[in-house]
PDB file of all heavy atoms in Angstrom:
ATOM      1  N   ARG Z1444      25.336   4.421  -3.503  1.00 98.00           N
ATOM      2  CA  ARG Z1444      26.831   4.358  -3.515  1.00 98.00           C
ATOM      3  C   ARG Z1444      27.390   5.342  -2.484  1.00 98.00           C
ATOM      4  O   ARG Z1444      28.273   5.030  -1.739  1.00 98.00           O
ATOM      5  CB  ARG Z1444      27.359   4.656  -4.896  1.00 98.00           C
ATOM      6  CG  ARG Z1444      28.826   4.620  -5.051  1.00 98.00           C
ATOM      7  CD  ARG Z1444      29.308   4.691  -6.513  1.00 98.00           C
ATOM      8  NE  ARG Z1444      28.737   5.859  -7.227  1.00 98.00           N
ATOM      9  CZ  ARG Z1444      29.177   7.096  -7.057  1.00 98.00           C
ATOM     10  NH1 ARG Z1444      30.197   7.388  -6.274  1.00 98.00           N
ATOM     11  NH2 ARG Z1444      28.601   8.090  -7.721  1.00 98.00           N
ATOM     12  N   VAL Z1445      26.801   6.576  -2.431  1.00 98.00           N
ATOM     13  CA  VAL Z1445      27.388   7.663  -1.594  1.00 98.00           C
ATOM     14  C   VAL Z1445      26.872   7.550  -0.168  1.00 98.00           C
ATOM     15  O   VAL Z1445      27.654   7.692   0.762  1.00 98.00           O
ATOM     16  CB  VAL Z1445      27.117   9.076  -2.207  1.00 98.00           C
ATOM     17  CG1 VAL Z1445      27.659  10.130  -1.349  1.00 98.00           C
ATOM     18  CG2 VAL Z1445      27.715   9.168  -3.588  1.00 98.00           C
ATOM     19  N   ILE Z1446      25.611   7.408   0.002  1.00 98.00           N
ATOM     20  CA  ILE Z1446      25.019   7.435   1.383  1.00 98.00           C
ATOM     21  C   ILE Z1446      24.671   6.000   1.871  1.00 98.00           C
ATOM     22  O   ILE Z1446      24.833   5.760   3.039  1.00 98.00           O
ATOM     23  CB  ILE Z1446      23.774   8.353   1.345  1.00 98.00           C
ATOM     24  CG1 ILE Z1446      24.165   9.764   1.010  1.00 98.00           C
ATOM     25  CG2 ILE Z1446      23.194   8.375   2.786  1.00 98.00           C
ATOM     26  CD1 ILE Z1446      23.008  10.715   0.910  1.00 98.00           C
ATOM     27  N   GLY Z1447      24.125   5.189   0.932  1.00 98.00           N
ATOM     28  CA  GLY Z1447      23.539   3.925   1.307  1.00 98.00           C
ATOM     29  C   GLY Z1447      22.027   4.010   1.319  1.00 98.00           C
ATOM     30  O   GLY Z1447      21.506   4.882   2.027  1.00 98.00           O
ATOM     31  N   ILE Z1448      21.356   3.152   0.541  1.00 98.00           N
ATOM     32  CA  ILE Z1448      19.945   3.314   0.349  1.00 98.00           C
ATOM     33  C   ILE Z1448      19.196   3.055   1.665  1.00 98.00           C
ATOM     34  O   ILE Z1448      18.055   3.589   1.806  1.00 98.00           O
ATOM     35  CB  ILE Z1448      19.445   2.437  -0.791  1.00 98.00           C
ATOM     36  CG1 ILE Z1448      18.122   2.867  -1.368  1.00 98.00           C
ATOM     37  CG2 ILE Z1448      19.426   0.965  -0.387  1.00 98.00           C
ATOM     38  CD1 ILE Z1448      18.137   4.128  -2.164  1.00 98.00           C
ATOM     39  N   ASP Z1449      19.798   2.357   2.510  1.00 98.00           N
ATOM     40  CA  ASP Z1449      19.083   2.043   3.896  1.00 98.00           C
ATOM     41  C   ASP Z1449      18.825   3.333   4.682  1.00 98.00           C
ATOM     42  O   ASP Z1449      18.034   3.385   5.575  1.00 98.00           O
ATOM     43  CB  ASP Z1449      20.018   1.126   4.784  1.00 98.00           C
ATOM     44  CG  ASP Z1449      20.090  -0.226   4.131  1.00 98.00           C
ATOM     45  OD1 ASP Z1449      19.314  -0.546   3.169  1.00 98.00           O
ATOM     46  OD2 ASP Z1449      20.850  -1.075   4.690  1.00 98.00           O
ATOM     47  N   ARG Z1450      19.666   4.384   4.368  1.00 98.00           N
ATOM     48  CA  ARG Z1450      19.457   5.673   5.088  1.00 98.00           C
ATOM     49  C   ARG Z1450      18.276   6.463   4.626  1.00 98.00           C
ATOM     50  O   ARG Z1450      17.787   7.405   5.274  1.00 98.00           O
ATOM     51  CB  ARG Z1450      20.608   6.568   4.856  1.00 98.00           C
ATOM     52  CG  ARG Z1450      21.977   6.101   5.449  1.00 98.00           C
ATOM     53  CD  ARG Z1450      22.128   6.449   6.898  1.00 98.00           C
ATOM     54  NE  ARG Z1450      23.351   5.975   7.375  1.00 98.00           N
ATOM     55  CZ  ARG Z1450      23.683   5.937   8.660  1.00 98.00           C
ATOM     56  NH1 ARG Z1450      22.849   6.342   9.573  1.00 98.00           N
ATOM     57  NH2 ARG Z1450      24.876   5.545   8.996  1.00 98.00           N
ATOM     58  N   LEU Z1451      17.725   6.037   3.456  1.00 98.00           N
ATOM     59  CA  LEU Z1451      16.603   6.806   2.900  1.00 98.00           C
ATOM     60  C   LEU Z1451      15.308   6.332   3.559  1.00 98.00           C
ATOM     61  O   LEU Z1451      14.899   5.179   3.510  1.00 98.00           O
ATOM     62  CB  LEU Z1451      16.513   6.542   1.347  1.00 98.00           C
ATOM     63  CG  LEU Z1451      15.461   7.369   0.637  1.00 98.00           C
ATOM     64  CD1 LEU Z1451      15.610   8.836   0.819  1.00 98.00           C
ATOM     65  CD2 LEU Z1451      15.579   7.049  -0.876  1.00 98.00           C
ATOM     66  N   LYS Z1452      14.650   7.256   4.308  1.00 98.00           N
ATOM     67  CA  LYS Z1452      13.563   6.975   5.145  1.00 98.00           C
ATOM     68  C   LYS Z1452      12.254   7.596   4.697  1.00 98.00           C
ATOM     69  O   LYS Z1452      11.214   7.276   5.202  1.00 98.00           O
ATOM     70  CB  LYS Z1452      13.780   7.383   6.621  1.00 98.00           C
ATOM     71  CG  LYS Z1452      15.094   6.759   7.195  1.00 98.00           C
ATOM     72  CD  LYS Z1452      15.033   5.263   7.291  1.00 98.00           C
ATOM     73  CE  LYS Z1452      16.204   4.696   8.052  1.00 98.00           C
ATOM     74  NZ  LYS Z1452      16.375   3.254   7.912  1.00 98.00           N
ATOM     75  N   ALA Z1453      12.320   8.698   3.887  1.00 98.00           N
ATOM     76  CA  ALA Z1453      11.128   9.406   3.544  1.00 98.00           C
ATOM     77  C   ALA Z1453      11.413  10.191   2.249  1.00 98.00           C
ATOM     78  O   ALA Z1453      12.522  10.496   1.888  1.00 98.00           O
ATOM     79  CB  ALA Z1453      10.669  10.324   4.623  1.00 98.00           C
ATOM     80  N   VAL Z1454      10.298  10.525   1.526  1.00 98.00           N
ATOM     81  CA  VAL Z1454      10.419  11.299   0.282  1.00 98.00           C
ATOM     82  C   VAL Z1454       9.393  12.496   0.368  1.00 98.00           C
ATOM     83  O   VAL Z1454       8.275  12.266   0.708  1.00 98.00           O
ATOM     84  CB  VAL Z1454      10.032  10.415  -0.962  1.00 98.00           C
ATOM     85  CG1 VAL Z1454      10.074  11.219  -2.222  1.00 98.00           C
ATOM     86  CG2 VAL Z1454      11.030   9.212  -1.000  1.00 98.00           C
ATOM     87  N   HIS Z1455       9.946  13.662   0.112  1.00 98.00           N
ATOM     88  CA  HIS Z1455       9.026  14.849  -0.099  1.00 98.00           C
ATOM     89  C   HIS Z1455       8.710  14.840  -1.561  1.00 98.00           C
ATOM     90  O   HIS Z1455       9.678  15.004  -2.364  1.00 98.00           O
ATOM     91  CB  HIS Z1455       9.772  16.126   0.343  1.00 98.00           C
ATOM     92  CG  HIS Z1455       9.796  16.359   1.806  1.00 98.00           C
ATOM     93  ND1 HIS Z1455      10.608  17.262   2.288  1.00 98.00           N
ATOM     94  CD2 HIS Z1455       9.040  15.844   2.803  1.00 98.00           C
ATOM     95  CE1 HIS Z1455      10.417  17.273   3.677  1.00 98.00           C
ATOM     96  NE2 HIS Z1455       9.428  16.373   3.942  1.00 98.00           N
ATOM     97  N   ILE Z1456       7.470  14.759  -1.934  1.00 98.00           N
ATOM     98  CA  ILE Z1456       7.130  14.514  -3.329  1.00 98.00           C
ATOM     99  C   ILE Z1456       6.471  15.862  -3.874  1.00 98.00           C
ATOM    100  O   ILE Z1456       5.386  16.255  -3.544  1.00 98.00           O
ATOM    101  CB  ILE Z1456       6.250  13.323  -3.519  1.00 98.00           C
ATOM    102  CG1 ILE Z1456       5.956  13.083  -5.030  1.00 98.00           C
ATOM    103  CG2 ILE Z1456       4.967  13.323  -2.719  1.00 98.00           C
ATOM    104  CD1 ILE Z1456       5.642  11.634  -5.383  1.00 98.00           C
ATOM    105  N   ASN Z1457       7.324  16.644  -4.546  1.00 98.00           N
ATOM    106  CA  ASN Z1457       6.980  17.967  -5.050  1.00 98.00           C
ATOM    107  C   ASN Z1457       7.497  18.107  -6.471  1.00 98.00           C
ATOM    108  O   ASN Z1457       8.575  17.700  -6.794  1.00 98.00           O
ATOM    109  CB  ASN Z1457       7.754  19.064  -4.235  1.00 98.00           C
ATOM    110  CG  ASN Z1457       7.484  18.869  -2.722  1.00 98.00           C
ATOM    111  OD1 ASN Z1457       6.352  18.880  -2.332  1.00 98.00           O
ATOM    112  ND2 ASN Z1457       8.548  18.892  -1.937  1.00 98.00           N
ATOM    113  N   ASP Z1458       6.706  18.776  -7.313  1.00 98.00           N
ATOM    114  CA  ASP Z1458       7.161  19.157  -8.617  1.00 98.00           C
ATOM    115  C   ASP Z1458       7.968  20.509  -8.462  1.00 98.00           C
ATOM    116  O   ASP Z1458       7.989  21.054  -7.328  1.00 98.00           O
ATOM    117  CB  ASP Z1458       6.046  19.393  -9.620  1.00 98.00           C
ATOM    118  CG  ASP Z1458       6.409  18.984 -10.989  1.00 98.00           C
ATOM    119  OD1 ASP Z1458       7.550  19.207 -11.387  1.00 98.00           O
ATOM    120  OD2 ASP Z1458       5.548  18.523 -11.836  1.00 98.00           O
ATOM    121  N   SER Z1459       8.686  20.896  -9.498  1.00 98.00           N
ATOM    122  CA  SER Z1459       9.566  22.080  -9.403  1.00 98.00           C
ATOM    123  C   SER Z1459       9.049  23.139 -10.416  1.00 98.00           C
ATOM    124  O   SER Z1459       8.856  22.872 -11.528  1.00 98.00           O
ATOM    125  CB  SER Z1459      10.983  21.739  -9.677  1.00 98.00           C
ATOM    126  OG  SER Z1459      11.793  22.921  -9.634  1.00 98.00           O
ATOM    127  N   LYS Z1460       9.029  24.379  -9.926  1.00 98.00           N
ATOM    128  CA  LYS Z1460       8.656  25.560 -10.775  1.00 98.00           C
ATOM    129  C   LYS Z1460       9.790  25.908 -11.720  1.00 98.00           C
ATOM    130  O   LYS Z1460       9.635  26.675 -12.681  1.00 98.00           O
ATOM    131  CB  LYS Z1460       8.356  26.773  -9.960  1.00 98.00           C
ATOM    132  CG  LYS Z1460       6.895  26.856  -9.434  1.00 98.00           C
ATOM    133  CD  LYS Z1460       6.633  28.244  -8.889  1.00 98.00           C
ATOM    134  CE  LYS Z1460       5.442  28.257  -7.885  1.00 98.00           C
ATOM    135  NZ  LYS Z1460       4.198  27.883  -8.419  1.00 98.00           N
TER     136      LYS Z1460
END
Side-chain angles (χ1 to χ4, degrees):
R1444 181 172 53 77
V1445 177
I1446 301 178
I1448 200 71
D1449 292 351
R1450 294 276 182 192
L1451 186 54
K1452 303 295 185 195
V1454 177
H1455 282 165
I1456 185 157
N1457 306 306
D1458 213 326
S1459 177
K1460 277 193 201 296

